[in-house]
């Protein structure tokens, strides 16, 4: 399944993962498995943090080391969160190669 088939479009990497929903969906597509229930319409900060934490927990469970990466980084649109080599490169390499 592709993101397009799930009606997900990411125009901006920073804003696209802010609430965690698209991040979870991306991981589901890459891993071909379900990560479980997420809050589909998070309105408050804690709901967004829970969604991002679900994704980070899954990434960590695949053996990717997450150092200095917290869910709050996604909400504050921190470049460290999105551009971290351990988050992007390590995870993609673990599924693509």
């Amino acid at each position: 399944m592709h993101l397009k088939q799930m009606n997900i479009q990411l125009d901006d990497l920073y804003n696209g993962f802010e609430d965690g929903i698209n991040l979870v969906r991306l991981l589901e597509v890459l891993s071909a498995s379900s990560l479980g229930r997420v809050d589909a319409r998070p309105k408050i900060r804690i709901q967004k943090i829970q969604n991002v934490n679900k994704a980070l927990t899954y990434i960590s469970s695949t053996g990717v080391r997450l150092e200095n990466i917290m869910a709050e980084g996604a909400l504050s649109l921190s470049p460290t969160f999105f551009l971290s080599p351990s988050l992007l490169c390590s995870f993609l390499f673990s599924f693509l190669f």
Side-chain angles (χ1 to χ4, degrees):
M1 181 172 285
H2 297 284
L3 290 177
K4 192 175 194 179
Q5 294 170 324
M6 296 179 78
N7 293 325
I8 296 174
Q9 182 175 348
L10 294 175
D11 296 323
D12 181 5
L13 184 62
Y14 292 114
N15 294 317
F17 292 141
E18 180 184 14
D19 61 7
I21 296 170
N22 289 334
L23 181 58
V24 168
R25 299 299 176 232
L26 174 64
L27 295 175
E28 289 177 336
V29 169
L30 290 174
S31 67
S33 64
S34 174
L35 283 126
R37 185 188 170 283
V38 295
D39 195 329
R41 287 185 242 161
K43 296 191 184 329
I44 59 175
R45 183 175 173 85
I46 190 67
Q47 293 170 324
K48 295 175 183 181
I49 289 173
Q50 289 171 338
N51 287 347
V52 175
N53 271 333
K54 181 176 284 281
L56 293 177
T57 300
Y58 179 76
I59 291 171
S60 181
S61 74
T62 64
V64 175
R65 290 182 53 193
L66 300 176
E67 297 178 12
N68 299 323
I69 297 176
M70 299 181 298
E72 289 81 0
L75 273 63
S76 65
L77 303 178
S78 167
T80 305
F81 178 85
F82 296 103
L83 302 177
S84 168
S86 63
L87 179 64
L88 294 175
C89 297
S90 298
F91 183 75
L92 291 175
F93 283 136
S94 69
F95 279 95
L96 298 177
F97 300 107

